[in-house]
Amino acid sequence: MWLVLLLIFVLIAGGCGTSSAEKDAKGTITIGLNNWPENIAVSNMWKILLEEKGYKVELSAMEKSPVWAGIAKGDLDIAPEVWLPQTDEPLYNEYKDQLELHEAWYEGTALGLVVPAYMDINSIEDLDKLGINTIVGIDPGASMMKLTKKLIKEYGLNYELIESSEPAMMSELTKAYKEKKPVVVTLWSPHWAFSEFDLKYLKDPKKIFGDQENIYFMTRKEFGKDYPEVLKWMNKWHMDDQSLGQLMATINKTNSPEEGAKQWIKENRNLTNQWFE
């Protein structure tokens, strides 16, 4: 009888215990992301890669300023996108003593007014020759929108800046591109649009949009102490226009950022494996 009772106890204990996945979990990491295509793309990519290594990863979506505040307070662990030395300089100066900035994973960003390559115009100075008077923008609070308003004033352009969102702006660009119509949008690199369409930046002689920047990632204080192997992996992370553009384009064609990232990872193991060597 006692053997039977012992067996029952073992079976009950085994059923009530933690699952193998829970036993293997190395901790929970929270990634703070804002609604930019490249940010969504790399956040989902790292979620999958880290979960493959035994971590539980949560994505927390919010505006850019709350992401910085969340990292500074320690409520978030990782934020994958910091543009320096110009775009995010105000936020960096405000919070730099309360966070840790790490390696650049993308070099040579671009920011400016973009038109399809079929348009016979190459400079912002020539915009008034187009016969249109609108620039399709993104979120009204974005720093790029503030720069574009400054640009319109500095160049004396007779243009209206339309406030919308990144998806709405891309919808307008896609429609105009298919019909070979003139269109001017606010855009940046990296962005999946450059993998899908033949586009060009308009020259900005007055450098209102500044020079090229790099994209870094940041973490809360002590993150490297708590998760040294994750920080080691992420400091080896590097992407270029082709790899990041393909990742964003793949995600854009799927119904789920996570599914798109999974598909891209499956097709690009040679690259991602380098970050874990």
Side-chain angles (χ1 to χ4, degrees):
M1 177 63 73
W2 67 271
L3 288 174
V4 175
L5 292 175
L6 178 62
L7 178 61
I8 293 173
F9 174 79
V10 170
L11 291 173
I12 293 175
C16 295
T18 57
S19 67
S20 60
E22 291 172 328
K23 288 179 180 178
D24 293 340
K26 297 180 179 180
T28 299
I29 294 174
T30 303
I31 298 176
L33 67 148
N34 53 277
N35 192 33
W36 288 12
E38 72 278 5
N39 202 312
I40 293 171
V42 298
S43 295
N44 278 275
M45 178 194 73
W46 274 109
K47 179 179 188 295
I48 295 164
L49 291 173
L50 293 178
E51 286 179 343
E52 289 178 348
K53 296 296 184 180
Y55 293 91
K56 180 180 179 182
V57 180
E58 297 177 351
L59 301 183
S60 184
M62 58 192 74
E63 295 297 323
K64 178 177 280 192
S65 292
V67 169
W68 282 78
I71 291 289
K73 293 177 182 177
D75 296 333
L76 302 173
D77 293 302
I78 301 169
E81 189 169 11
V82 178
W83 286 47
L84 289 173
Q86 300 161 39
T87 303
D88 287 328
E89 182 182 17
L91 288 166
Y92 179 67
N93 288 338
E94 181 178 356
Y95 293 110
K96 63 182 178 181
D97 295 331
Q98 300 166 260
L99 53 81
E100 294 181 356
L101 186 69
H102 301 287
E103 296 293 328
W105 59 269
Y106 182 95
E107 298 176 351
T109 66
L111 196 72
L113 298 187
V114 168
V115 300
Y118 58 74
M119 289 175 58
D120 188 21
I121 181 176
N122 295 299
S123 174
I124 291 171
E125 294 177 317
D126 298 325
L127 273 173
D128 283 330
K129 300 177 182 178
L130 283 181
I132 60 175
N133 62 356
T134 57
I135 297 171
V136 184
I138 52 173
D139 311 83
S143 59
M144 186 170 197
M145 292 292 280
K146 297 176 183 177
L147 289 171
T148 304
K149 289 178 181 178
K150 178 181 178 182
L151 178 143
I152 291 173
K153 182 178 180 180
E154 291 289 326
Y155 282 93
L157 299 175
N158 186 28
Y159 269 74
E160 176 189 1
L161 177 60
I162 299 176
E163 297 177 345
S164 59
S165 65
E166 187 271 341
M169 177 271 292
M170 285 306 305
S171 177
E172 289 296 317
L173 174 60
T174 301
K175 180 181 177 181
Y177 193 91
K178 288 180 178 179
E179 298 174 358
K180 291 291 188 290
K181 291 184 176 180
V183 64
V184 184
V185 299
T186 58
L187 204 53
W188 60 93
S189 300
H191 194 286
W192 63 267
F194 293 94
S195 294
E196 296 293 300
F197 308 122
D198 188 6
L199 305 172
K200 60 184 177 181
Y201 282 98
L202 295 179
K203 295 178 181 178
D204 177 16
K206 297 185 179 182
K207 292 195 175 293
I208 304 298
F209 287 108
D211 296 315
Q212 290 186 332
E213 299 182 271
N214 295 332
I215 305 179
Y216 304 78
F217 74 97
M218 62 180 172
T219 65
R220 61 170 172 80
K221 289 281 190 180
E222 303 296 320
F223 177 81
K225 180 179 179 181
D226 296 335
Y227 298 101
E229 66 176 359
V230 175
L231 185 57
K232 177 184 176 182
W233 295 332
M234 293 193 71
N235 273 325
K236 291 184 178 181
W237 169 34
H238 191 272
M239 303 181 81
D240 56 18
D241 280 335
Q242 182 178 8
S243 57
L244 185 54
Q246 288 175 348
L247 171 60
M248 289 188 286
T250 302
I251 288 175
N252 190 56
K253 293 175 183 176
T254 65
N255 294 323
S256 162
E258 188 166 348
E259 287 304 312
K262 284 181 180 178
Q263 180 180 329
W264 181 87
I265 289 171
K266 183 178 180 180
E267 297 169 354
N268 291 271
R269 285 291 183 185
N270 289 340
L271 174 62
T272 61
N273 284 345
Q274 295 175 21
W275 307 335
F276 297 93
E277 292 177 349

